[in-house]
């Protein structure tokens, strides 16, 4: 006699699974991270405008080129492959651009990331602010049922549901409906669950812009008596989505739910250079989830650095699809089925699953001086430009960093958005970037300058005396004020 199949779970963010996840300690929990030398991580997290500009120009150039070919081929069958390529670049390859720009890791210059982010978000019909918060939640509670709004393959995903996903029929109509609902000023419960109230008006206005553009293009097509305008704007989000799904399914489908180790719920798949260009190296997906400060172009190097601590990468797209389709077929019969992953033991990995191995970032425990009125935070010479270290004082944690202009800064060590140690992030100019969701703070004032960070961190005076960094560790700014 076979065991009865497990009941289908409620994947909504407003159902009973949200409470269950919290009760099981799966919400905003500590996740396993493999050991890596902080200076090497700092090198890998470096940004350049040039690399992202070349890749973005190539993507947009191909988009314009295939669009022009489709225009020239209108009225002939040659328009079909031309539009197919245009759609794949528009509704498929835009996904990894949207993703990378949303993390703010592609370009060194922030507004360039934002510009491409908004363009790609529109191509995918993703409301920009809503999806920024959605993706932050996805990184916080990856594939935790009831918490992660981006679980693309809830169990069971049968063959018809899978086919509908590849055709965009399962995802795009609800997204369009949501845009018009938000444009009307009505946010759904899921959006309210992860978008802060202060950003609700922004969600509404962005939805109105999207709705206006889509209605405008549809009206243009109706007035001209041709579908051609919609083939360029609007419909490619549907007829090109297959490429998005082709890549996206490899990320988490069929793997484990409700675990605190990306090695168990995320897949790294080796792909050829063409696919890696179209997918912006997101095939190194385990590494990306563990170290989201590392830009897409450095993910292969990061993989070389930490790969021995991860489950073996899937050797190719074919192998990944064999594994995924077999797993989805099993889950269609028994939703509790999931693909096993063999991960290196704690000894090899340098830390057991389910916790962040923070020790590697701990630079020093501060020495108390002058009866506790000042603290010795360590040697100044050991902190290079752009370097950042964690220093603990009793149960308090601080980040000590040398900004790109050479100045020292001492700030609170824990991000005000989540519970991430800022010293595991990076210094960018005069800002500190959080390792968990790429939120940023001005290291001189403590003010948040990039979402999802919205609440200031405390900053402290520091001076160098006889080569040692000394601070009284009394905050010199107001903190705890929501900056939104
Ligand atoms: Fe989210 Fe720091 S924990 S930005």
């Amino acid at each position: 006699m076979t065991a009865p199949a497990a009941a289908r779970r409620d994947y909504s963010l407003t159902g009973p699974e949200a409470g269950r996840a919290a009760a099981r300690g799966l919400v905003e929990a500590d996740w396993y991270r493999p050991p890596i030398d902080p200076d090497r991580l700092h090198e890998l997290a470096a940004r350049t405008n040039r690399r992202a500009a070349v890749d973005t120009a190539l993507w947009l150039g191909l988009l314009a080129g295939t669009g022009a070919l489709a225009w020239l081929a209108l009225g002939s069958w040659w328009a079909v492959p031309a539009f197919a390529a245009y759609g794949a670049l528009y509704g498929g390859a835009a996904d990894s651009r949207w993703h990378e720009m949303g993390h703010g890791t592609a370009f060194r210059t922030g507004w360039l990331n934002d510009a491409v982010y908004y363009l790609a978000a529109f191509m995918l019909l993703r409301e920009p602010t809503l999806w920024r918060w959605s993706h932050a939640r996805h990184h916080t509670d990856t594939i935790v049922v009831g918490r992660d709004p981006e679980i693309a393959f809830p169990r069971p995903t049968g063959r018809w549901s899978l086919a509908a996903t590849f055709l965009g029929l399962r995802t795009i109509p609800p997204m369009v409906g949501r845009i018009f609902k938000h444009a009307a000023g009505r946010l759904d419960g899921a959006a309210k669950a992860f978008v802060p109230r202060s950003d609700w008006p922004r969600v509404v206005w962005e939805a109105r812009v999207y709705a206006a553009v889509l209605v405008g293009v549809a009206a243009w097509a109706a007035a001209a008596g041709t579908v051609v305008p919609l083939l360029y704007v609007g419909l490619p989000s549907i007829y090109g989505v297959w490429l998005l799904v082709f890549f996206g399914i490899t990320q988490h489908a069929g793997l484990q739910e409700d675990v605190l180790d990306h090695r168990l719920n995320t897949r790294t798949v080796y792909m050829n250079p063409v696919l890696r260009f179209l997918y912006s190296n997101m095939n190194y997906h385990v590494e990306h989830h563990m170290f989201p400060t590392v830009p897409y172009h450095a993910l292969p190097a990061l993989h070389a650095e930490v790969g021995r601590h991860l489950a073996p990468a899937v050797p190719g797209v074919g192998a990944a699809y064999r594994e995924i389709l077999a797993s989805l077929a099993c889950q269609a019969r028994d939703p509790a089925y999931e693909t096993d992953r063999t991960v290196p033991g704690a000894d090899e990995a340098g830390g057991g699953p389910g916790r962040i191995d923070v020790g590697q970032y701990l630079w020093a425990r501060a020495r108390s001086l002058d009866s506790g009125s000042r603290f010795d935070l360590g040697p100044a010479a050991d902190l290079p430009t752009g370097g950042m270290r964690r220093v603990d004082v009793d149960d308090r944690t601080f980040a000590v960093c040398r900004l790109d202009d050479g100045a020292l800064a001492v700030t609170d060590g824990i991000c005000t958005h989540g519970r991430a140690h800022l010293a595991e992030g990076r210094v960018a100019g005069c800002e500190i970037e959080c390792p968990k969701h790429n939120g940023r703070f001005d290291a001189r004032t403590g003010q948040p300058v990039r979402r999802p960070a919205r609440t200031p961190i405390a900053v402290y005076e520091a001076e160098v005396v006889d080569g040692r960094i000394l601070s009284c560790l009394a905050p010199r700014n107001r903190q705890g004020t929501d900056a939104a």
Side-chain angles (χ1 to χ4, degrees):
M1 205 171 90
T2 53
R8 179 195 293 253
R9 302 181 73 182
D10 179 351
Y11 284 81
S12 73
L13 305 193
T14 51
E17 291 289 357
R20 275 186 211 132
R24 293 172 62 199
L26 297 170
V27 175
E28 298 186 10
D30 289 343
W31 287 67
Y32 169 77
R33 290 215 322 187
I36 184 169
D37 175 59
D39 292 329
R40 178 63 177 142
L41 182 58
H42 181 246
E43 275 172 31
L44 292 171
R47 319 276 159 80
T48 74
N49 281 340
R50 191 186 314 159
R51 174 63 193 261
V54 169
D55 283 345
T56 304
L58 186 53
W59 168 56
L60 291 176
L62 287 168
L63 193 69
T66 52
L69 284 176
W71 179 262
L72 294 172
L74 278 176
S76 82
W77 283 103
W78 287 109
V80 175
F83 272 118
Y86 175 82
L89 291 162
Y90 183 116
D95 177 43
S96 57
R97 276 75 191 172
W98 165 85
H99 175 267
E100 191 69 15
M101 305 297 160
H103 279 282
T105 42
F107 288 98
R108 185 184 174 90
T109 304
W111 69 264
L112 288 170
N113 288 316
D114 288 341
V116 180
Y117 177 81
Y118 280 99
L119 174 68
F122 176 75
M123 291 175 170
L124 302 167
L125 299 177
R126 290 178 181 164
E127 299 166 67
T129 297
L130 178 90
W131 278 78
R132 262 195 213 279
W133 288 105
S134 159
H135 199 64
R137 174 68 76 83
H138 172 64
H139 269 262
T140 304
D141 299 324
T142 311
I143 318 298
V144 172
V145 178
R147 290 287 300 175
D148 185 348
E150 297 184 8
I151 298 180
F153 296 93
R155 304 175 193 177
T157 297
R159 69 177 77 120
W160 293 114
S161 180
L162 184 61
T165 305
F166 269 92
L167 295 173
L169 302 177
R170 191 170 70 83
T171 51
I172 303 291
M175 287 170 73
V176 173
R178 201 179 196 192
I179 287 169
F180 283 91
K181 185 174 175 181
H182 291 169
R186 290 181 291 124
L187 258 65
D188 53 81
K192 288 179 179 173
F194 57 78
V195 180
R197 182 178 283 272
S198 55
D199 275 357
W200 290 2
R202 197 177 168 127
V203 171
V204 169
W205 277 105
E206 288 171 353
R208 287 176 181 165
V209 172
Y210 274 29
V213 174
L214 293 174
V215 168
V217 176
W220 176 15
T226 171
V227 75
V228 171
L230 284 166
L231 288 174
Y232 282 96
V233 176
L235 289 180
S237 308
I238 302 175
Y239 70 76
V241 77
W242 66 269
L243 186 63
L244 181 156
V245 182
F246 171 80
F247 288 128
I249 197 173
T250 66
Q251 296 176 358
H252 308 285
L255 296 176
Q256 299 182 27
E257 296 174 340
D258 297 350
V259 291
L260 300 178
D261 189 335
H262 291 109
R263 300 176 300 178
L264 303 176
N265 68 9
T266 308
R267 217 179 253 104
T268 283
V269 181
Y270 291 133
M271 293 186 185
N272 67 45
V274 173
L275 294 184
R276 286 200 285 117
F277 162 73
L278 291 170
Y279 192 29
S280 307
N281 279 340
M282 275 303 123
N283 53 306
Y284 294 101
H285 213 65
V286 179
E287 293 81 352
H288 162 69
H289 265 278
M290 289 175 163
F291 298 99
T293 54
V294 175
Y296 68 102
H297 56 77
L299 288 177
L302 176 62
H303 174 72
E305 200 72 37
V306 301
R308 67 188 181 283
H309 300 283
L310 313 181
V314 182
V317 174
Y321 268 78
R322 280 193 291 281
E323 178 183 282
I324 293 162
L325 294 177
S327 185
L328 295 185
C330 291
Q331 287 173 355
R333 294 188 293 274
D334 175 9
Y337 177 87
E338 50 200 10
T339 308
D340 258 350
R341 274 276 173 276
T342 305
V343 296
D347 288 350
E348 297 161 76
R355 68 181 180 80
I356 297 173
D357 189 356
V358 294
Q360 62 197 301
Y361 299 93
L362 180 59
W363 190 33
R365 294 193 185 279
R367 266 190 320 126
S368 164
L369 306 171
D370 312 329
S371 306
S373 63
R374 285 195 306 172
F375 294 86
D376 178 351
L377 306 183
D382 287 6
L383 198 60
T385 299
M388 183 159 53
R389 298 290 186 266
R390 171 182 159 187
V391 176
D392 284 359
V393 179
D394 301 325
D395 58 353
R396 297 164 70 196
T397 293
F398 301 88
V400 181
C401 49
R402 192 179 293 284
L403 307 179
D404 284 356
D405 62 5
L408 276 171
V410 179
T411 73
D412 272 346
I414 304 292
C415 180
T416 50
H417 172 244
R419 298 188 305 112
H421 281 270
L422 291 172
E424 296 175 35
R426 61 186 288 271
V427 172
C430 292
E431 297 170 3
I432 295 175
E433 181 174 314
C434 176
K436 198 163 178 179
H437 306 114
N438 310 94
R440 285 194 185 193
F441 301 91
D442 187 318
R444 297 158 305 184
T445 65
Q447 287 299 312
V449 291
R450 187 174 194 282
R451 305 217 162 193
R454 296 187 308 139
T455 304
I457 51 173
V459 294
Y460 305 87
E461 298 286 359
E463 58 180 340
V464 177
V465 178
D466 296 334
R468 310 289 301 184
I469 304 168
L470 305 185
S471 173
C472 61
L473 295 180
R476 61 178 169 81
N477 65 330
R478 278 182 61 225
Q479 52 180 134
T481 308
D482 192 338

